[in-house]
PDB file of all heavy atoms in Angstrom:
ATOM      1  N   ASN A 149      85.150 108.919  90.715  1.00 97.00           N
ATOM      2  CA  ASN A 149      84.351 109.134  89.509  1.00 97.00           C
ATOM      3  C   ASN A 149      85.192 109.058  88.242  1.00 97.00           C
ATOM      4  O   ASN A 149      86.368 108.695  88.322  1.00 97.00           O
ATOM      5  CB  ASN A 149      83.602 110.396  89.644  1.00 97.00           C
ATOM      6  CG  ASN A 149      84.493 111.611  89.900  1.00 97.00           C
ATOM      7  OD1 ASN A 149      85.540 111.787  89.246  1.00 97.00           O
ATOM      8  ND2 ASN A 149      84.037 112.434  90.867  1.00 97.00           N
ATOM      9  N   GLU A 150      84.592 109.489  87.127  1.00 96.00           N
ATOM     10  CA  GLU A 150      85.258 109.373  85.888  1.00 96.00           C
ATOM     11  C   GLU A 150      86.504 110.227  85.847  1.00 96.00           C
ATOM     12  O   GLU A 150      87.552 109.805  85.284  1.00 96.00           O
ATOM     13  CB  GLU A 150      84.362 109.786  84.758  1.00 96.00           C
ATOM     14  CG  GLU A 150      84.996 109.729  83.346  1.00 96.00           C
ATOM     15  CD  GLU A 150      84.038 110.058  82.296  1.00 96.00           C
ATOM     16  OE1 GLU A 150      82.875 110.455  82.592  1.00 96.00           O
ATOM     17  OE2 GLU A 150      84.474 109.953  81.107  1.00 96.00           O
ATOM     18  N   THR A 151      86.485 111.438  86.459  1.00 97.00           N
ATOM     19  CA  THR A 151      87.736 112.231  86.414  1.00 97.00           C
ATOM     20  C   THR A 151      88.672 111.807  87.456  1.00 97.00           C
ATOM     21  O   THR A 151      89.908 111.681  87.072  1.00 97.00           O
ATOM     22  CB  THR A 151      87.241 113.703  86.836  1.00 97.00           C
ATOM     23  OG1 THR A 151      86.201 114.157  85.815  1.00 97.00           O
ATOM     24  CG2 THR A 151      88.459 114.646  86.806  1.00 97.00           C
ATOM     25  N   SER A 152      88.360 111.621  88.775  1.00 97.00           N
ATOM     26  CA  SER A 152      89.258 111.267  89.710  1.00 97.00           C
ATOM     27  C   SER A 152      89.794 109.817  89.402  1.00 97.00           C
ATOM     28  O   SER A 152      90.925 109.550  89.865  1.00 97.00           O
ATOM     29  CB  SER A 152      88.672 111.302  91.132  1.00 97.00           C
ATOM     30  OG  SER A 152      87.575 110.331  91.194  1.00 97.00           O
ATOM     31  N   GLY A 153      89.131 109.035  88.692  1.00 97.00           N
ATOM     32  CA  GLY A 153      89.523 107.731  88.368  1.00 97.00           C
ATOM     33  C   GLY A 153      90.713 107.649  87.426  1.00 97.00           C
ATOM     34  O   GLY A 153      91.404 106.577  87.264  1.00 97.00           O
ATOM     35  N   LYS A 154      91.046 108.771  86.800  1.00 96.00           N
ATOM     36  CA  LYS A 154      92.120 108.917  85.986  1.00 96.00           C
ATOM     37  C   LYS A 154      93.373 109.737  86.522  1.00 96.00           C
ATOM     38  O   LYS A 154      94.325 109.955  85.839  1.00 96.00           O
ATOM     39  CB  LYS A 154      91.715 109.492  84.609  1.00 96.00           C
ATOM     40  CG  LYS A 154      90.679 108.627  83.835  1.00 96.00           C
ATOM     41  CD  LYS A 154      90.257 109.346  82.541  1.00 96.00           C
ATOM     42  CE  LYS A 154      89.180 108.538  81.822  1.00 96.00           C
ATOM     43  NZ  LYS A 154      88.733 109.085  80.580  1.00 96.00           N
ATOM     44  N   ASP A 155      93.119 110.172  87.732  1.00 96.00           N
ATOM     45  CA  ASP A 155      94.068 110.923  88.427  1.00 96.00           C
ATOM     46  C   ASP A 155      94.951 110.090  89.290  1.00 96.00           C
ATOM     47  O   ASP A 155      94.538 109.530  90.421  1.00 96.00           O
ATOM     48  CB  ASP A 155      93.387 112.002  89.345  1.00 96.00           C
ATOM     49  CG  ASP A 155      94.318 112.936  90.043  1.00 96.00           C
ATOM     50  OD1 ASP A 155      95.468 112.635  90.214  1.00 96.00           O
ATOM     51  OD2 ASP A 155      93.908 114.162  90.254  1.00 96.00           O
ATOM     52  N   ARG A 156      96.204 109.898  88.885  1.00 95.00           N
ATOM     53  CA  ARG A 156      97.160 108.961  89.584  1.00 95.00           C
ATOM     54  C   ARG A 156      97.339 109.424  91.050  1.00 95.00           C
ATOM     55  O   ARG A 156      97.395 108.513  91.978  1.00 95.00           O
ATOM     56  CB  ARG A 156      98.486 108.882  88.838  1.00 95.00           C
ATOM     57  CG  ARG A 156      99.483 107.932  89.433  1.00 95.00           C
ATOM     58  CD  ARG A 156     100.864 108.066  88.844  1.00 95.00           C
ATOM     59  NE  ARG A 156     101.486 109.342  89.157  1.00 95.00           N
ATOM     60  CZ  ARG A 156     102.725 109.699  88.802  1.00 95.00           C
ATOM     61  NH1 ARG A 156     103.469 108.873  88.105  1.00 95.00           N
ATOM     62  NH2 ARG A 156     103.202 110.884  89.083  1.00 95.00           N
ATOM     63  N   ASP A 157      97.586 110.634  91.283  1.00 94.00           N
ATOM     64  CA  ASP A 157      97.754 111.172  92.663  1.00 94.00           C
ATOM     65  C   ASP A 157      96.568 110.894  93.491  1.00 94.00           C
ATOM     66  O   ASP A 157      96.748 110.478  94.730  1.00 94.00           O
ATOM     67  CB  ASP A 157      97.997 112.629  92.646  1.00 94.00           C
ATOM     68  CG  ASP A 157      99.431 112.974  91.999  1.00 94.00           C
ATOM     69  OD1 ASP A 157     100.215 112.068  92.035  1.00 94.00           O
ATOM     70  OD2 ASP A 157      99.625 114.062  91.478  1.00 94.00           O
ATOM     71  N   PHE A 158      95.289 111.119  92.926  1.00 95.00           N
ATOM     72  CA  PHE A 158      94.096 110.849  93.808  1.00 95.00           C
ATOM     73  C   PHE A 158      94.004 109.325  94.069  1.00 95.00           C
ATOM     74  O   PHE A 158      93.789 108.934  95.224  1.00 95.00           O
ATOM     75  CB  PHE A 158      92.876 111.277  93.012  1.00 95.00           C
ATOM     76  CG  PHE A 158      91.631 110.826  93.611  1.00 95.00           C
ATOM     77  CD1 PHE A 158      91.030 111.552  94.597  1.00 95.00           C
ATOM     78  CD2 PHE A 158      90.990 109.646  93.224  1.00 95.00           C
ATOM     79  CE1 PHE A 158      89.753 111.185  95.278  1.00 95.00           C
ATOM     80  CE2 PHE A 158      89.821 109.276  93.807  1.00 95.00           C
ATOM     81  CZ  PHE A 158      89.167 110.001  94.874  1.00 95.00           C
ATOM     82  N   LEU A 159      94.235 108.467  93.056  1.00 96.00           N
ATOM     83  CA  LEU A 159      94.108 107.013  93.247  1.00 96.00           C
ATOM     84  C   LEU A 159      95.106 106.566  94.375  1.00 96.00           C
ATOM     85  O   LEU A 159      94.838 105.691  95.128  1.00 96.00           O
ATOM     86  CB  LEU A 159      94.256 106.309  91.930  1.00 96.00           C
ATOM     87  CG  LEU A 159      93.230 106.560  90.920  1.00 96.00           C
ATOM     88  CD1 LEU A 159      93.484 105.828  89.694  1.00 96.00           C
ATOM     89  CD2 LEU A 159      91.887 106.086  91.456  1.00 96.00           C
ATOM     90  N   ASN A 160      96.257 107.130  94.262  1.00 94.00           N
ATOM     91  CA  ASN A 160      97.340 106.645  95.166  1.00 94.00           C
ATOM     92  C   ASN A 160      97.109 107.086  96.576  1.00 94.00           C
ATOM     93  O   ASN A 160      97.083 106.318  97.533  1.00 94.00           O
ATOM     94  CB  ASN A 160      98.735 107.298  94.739  1.00 94.00           C
ATOM     95  CG  ASN A 160      99.565 106.389  93.833  1.00 94.00           C
ATOM     96  OD1 ASN A 160      99.358 105.210  93.881  1.00 94.00           O
ATOM     97  ND2 ASN A 160     100.584 106.898  93.240  1.00 94.00           N
ATOM     98  N   SER A 161      96.749 108.359  96.761  1.00 90.00           N
ATOM     99  CA  SER A 161      96.523 108.929  98.112  1.00 90.00           C
ATOM    100  C   SER A 161      95.345 108.309  98.822  1.00 90.00           C
ATOM    101  O   SER A 161      95.228 108.157 100.061  1.00 90.00           O
ATOM    102  CB  SER A 161      96.423 110.489  98.083  1.00 90.00           C
ATOM    103  OG  SER A 161      95.287 110.856  97.392  1.00 90.00           O
ATOM    104  N   ASN A 162      94.318 107.974  97.996  1.00 91.00           N
ATOM    105  CA  ASN A 162      93.049 107.520  98.579  1.00 91.00           C
ATOM    106  C   ASN A 162      92.922 105.904  98.650  1.00 91.00           C
ATOM    107  O   ASN A 162      92.227 105.415  99.514  1.00 91.00           O
ATOM    108  CB  ASN A 162      91.843 107.999  97.831  1.00 91.00           C
ATOM    109  CG  ASN A 162      91.590 109.540  98.223  1.00 91.00           C
ATOM    110  OD1 ASN A 162      90.801 109.792  99.047  1.00 91.00           O
ATOM    111  ND2 ASN A 162      92.155 110.466  97.372  1.00 91.00           N
ATOM    112  N   PHE A 163      93.530 105.256  97.689  1.00 94.00           N
ATOM    113  CA  PHE A 163      93.304 103.811  97.602  1.00 94.00           C
ATOM    114  C   PHE A 163      94.572 102.990  97.481  1.00 94.00           C
ATOM    115  O   PHE A 163      94.798 102.199  98.452  1.00 94.00           O
ATOM    116  CB  PHE A 163      92.370 103.484  96.450  1.00 94.00           C
ATOM    117  CG  PHE A 163      91.123 104.251  96.435  1.00 94.00           C
ATOM    118  CD1 PHE A 163      90.838 105.161  95.418  1.00 94.00           C
ATOM    119  CD2 PHE A 163      90.178 104.023  97.451  1.00 94.00           C
ATOM    120  CE1 PHE A 163      89.647 105.906  95.457  1.00 94.00           C
ATOM    121  CE2 PHE A 163      88.996 104.790  97.390  1.00 94.00           C
ATOM    122  CZ  PHE A 163      88.782 105.665  96.384  1.00 94.00           C
ATOM    123  N   PHE A 164      95.337 103.140  96.494  1.00 94.00           N
ATOM    124  CA  PHE A 164      96.378 102.115  96.179  1.00 94.00           C
ATOM    125  C   PHE A 164      97.651 102.203  97.059  1.00 94.00           C
ATOM    126  O   PHE A 164      98.293 101.236  97.331  1.00 94.00           O
ATOM    127  CB  PHE A 164      96.677 102.087  94.688  1.00 94.00           C
ATOM    128  CG  PHE A 164      95.374 101.739  94.041  1.00 94.00           C
ATOM    129  CD1 PHE A 164      94.925 102.669  92.957  1.00 94.00           C
ATOM    130  CD2 PHE A 164      94.590 100.637  94.277  1.00 94.00           C
ATOM    131  CE1 PHE A 164      93.745 102.476  92.343  1.00 94.00           C
ATOM    132  CE2 PHE A 164      93.395 100.474  93.623  1.00 94.00           C
ATOM    133  CZ  PHE A 164      93.011 101.256  92.595  1.00 94.00           C
TER     134      PHE A 164
END
Side-chain angles (χ1 to χ4, degrees):
N149 51 45
E150 182 177 1
T151 301
S152 61
K154 296 177 181 179
D155 185 334
R156 183 188 67 177
D157 292 336
F158 171 84
L159 294 176
N160 265 341
S161 61
N162 283 273
F163 306 115
F164 301 123

